[in-house]
Amino acid sequence: MAMTGVLRPGHAQLRVMDIEAARKFYRDVLGLVETGVDAQGRVFLKAWDERDHHSVILRPADTAGIDFFGFKVLDKATLDQLEKDVQAFGLKTERIPAGELMETGERVRFTIPSGHAIELYAEKKHVGNGLGQLNPAPWGPDAERGIAPVRLDHGLLYGPNVAQVKKLFTEVLGFFLVERILGPKEAGEPEVAIFLSCSHKTHDIAFVEHPEPGKLHHLSFLMPTWERVQRAADIMGMNKVSIDIGPTRHGVTRGETIYAWDPSGNRFETFAGGYQPYPDAEPITWTFEQFGYGLDYTTGKLHDTFLGVVT
Ligand SMILES: [Fe+2]
């Protein structure tokens, strides 16, 4: 498929309550690569196989959660056009100057109906994956340090007005609906969870209907294989990481997964597998009665923490 418009999740800024503990966790346990610290004390990191300067930003704060989730778009002309399109949809946009995030160009930020700050940007410094562009080795030392995911894969955000959010992402930002979970029959089966793709992935972002706006459910990091998810579980055990669910398989997206919490209580996922939908794929629907199997296909269990604990 030709990749135009919004390309992929580019970064997420997390609030963390103990920056040194968070830094150590994201670098040494999750195994991201630290690429910088700015004057505000924010720590910038990337997964080993990502080419751009950073994908995760840790900001020291008094509460956990997410400040914003950003998508990289094809080029500056795309950024200008999408800014106009988002405004025409009825949202206010703000331009954040180049350099406010390390090595990142101008960003367009807007608050979507679920209360989340979403950003678009076209430029971020290419730092490479450490293997070079000429006759590269398949992996290097960073691919073996800690859990070592290959990339920031997607985010799951909790907030109200999921129907409006779906309209924005599918009609303005060029995403398509891959899977959805319906609410109870007696409520008329509204879409309570939507999994949206701008690419060939089962989801680049997902939303769950939730009364409180702007909440983070998890950031997900891609592992190359199910075996590497199981190795991640071993590393979590060795480091006494607090695990929410897994290792198990999702029904939704067929991903193989573990959910766990960082030292501030932000949930993250190590994820592999799934399938590769094209934009003409018919969306898959999960009924409310089968939601447990959508979440945890091995047990069919609806985990209370998964449904209720967000930052
Ligand atoms: Fe996920």
Side-chain angles (χ1 to χ4, degrees):
M1 129 191 25
M3 296 289 279
T4 58
V6 177
L7 296 182
R8 60 171 179 270
H11 56 235
Q13 180 166 300
L14 291 177
R15 296 187 298 273
V16 297
M17 295 183 295
D18 177 340
I19 190 72
E20 281 314 315
R23 179 189 214 163
K24 207 169 150 32
F25 177 81
Y26 280 89
R27 191 186 54 199
D28 300 340
V29 180
L30 188 53
L32 303 185
V33 178
E34 186 175 322
T35 55
V37 182
D38 72 4
Q40 294 180 40
R42 293 183 296 187
V43 176
F44 292 71
L45 304 120
K46 65 185 270 298
W48 75 267
D49 205 19
E50 289 175 315
R51 269 71 164 176
D52 286 353
H53 181 264
H54 60 267
S55 56
V56 173
I57 308 126
L58 306 175
R59 180 174 74 82
D62 295 334
T63 55
I66 188 165
D67 285 334
F68 51 79
F69 192 92
F71 293 95
K72 192 172 195 188
V73 305
L74 182 64
D75 53 23
K76 278 177 140 176
T78 305
L79 185 66
D80 293 343
Q81 184 59 50
L82 287 172
E83 180 182 35
K84 287 187 198 127
D85 296 346
V86 168
Q87 288 168 352
F89 183 78
L91 300 181
K92 265 209 294 209
T93 63
E94 178 191 359
R95 282 252 172 181
I96 298 165
E100 196 278 333
L101 278 182
M102 287 181 90
E103 306 290 2
T104 306
E106 211 174 7
R107 290 129 69 205
V108 171
R109 183 185 292 175
F110 43 95
T111 301
I112 62 173
S114 57
H116 298 93
I118 296 292
E119 297 186 345
L120 307 175
Y121 67 94
E123 295 175 325
K124 188 178 287 182
K125 187 179 178 186
H126 182 276
V127 296
N129 62 3
L131 304 173
Q133 298 298 115
L134 184 67
N135 308 326
W139 50 271
D142 286 333
E144 291 294 295
R145 187 174 41 76
I147 291 170
V150 293
R151 69 171 183 233
L152 168 65
D153 189 82
H154 63 268
L156 173 54
L157 304 177
Y158 270 40
N161 304 313
V162 161
Q164 276 300 305
V165 170
K166 178 183 165 188
K167 205 169 150 63
L168 171 70
F169 274 84
T170 57
E171 294 179 14
V172 179
L173 298 175
F175 287 62
F176 62 101
L177 180 70
V178 179
E179 301 206 15
R180 61 187 191 147
I181 301 170
L182 302 180
K185 274 211 172 71
E186 54 276 21
E189 298 193 308
E191 286 175 350
V192 294
I194 55 172
F195 299 80
L196 300 162
S197 180
C198 64
S199 64
H200 208 10
K201 292 155 57 185
T202 48
H203 46 337
D204 288 291
I205 191 138
F207 291 90
V208 167
E209 186 78 34
H210 182 73
E212 257 181 307
K215 295 310 225 181
L216 172 68
H217 188 274
H218 66 268
L219 287 187
S220 184
F221 296 91
L222 184 70
M223 308 306 300
T225 64
W226 194 186
E227 194 176 10
R228 291 290 287 202
V229 176
Q230 291 160 334
R231 176 180 173 276
D234 292 339
I235 293 172
M236 290 180 199
M238 291 170 195
N239 289 279
K240 306 291 181 280
V241 174
S242 178
I243 292 187
D244 184 12
I245 303 176
T248 186
R249 178 199 281 280
H250 286 310
V252 175
T253 77
R254 293 187 214 148
E256 298 127 1
T257 181
I258 307 168
Y259 288 110
W261 285 284
D262 78 3
S264 298
N266 292 308
R267 189 189 281 96
F268 68 98
E269 176 181 33
T270 53
F271 162 91
Y275 56 96
Q276 292 81 43
Y278 282 92
D280 63 342
E282 288 280 315
I284 287 170
T285 298
W286 292 83
T287 59
F288 191 71
E289 297 72 43
Q290 295 296 310
F291 190 174
Y293 287 94
L295 171 58
D296 184 343
Y297 201 78
T298 309
T299 66
K301 205 174 133 191
L302 268 181
H303 299 257
D304 287 344
T305 49
F306 184 90
L307 299 179
V309 177
V310 288
T311 55

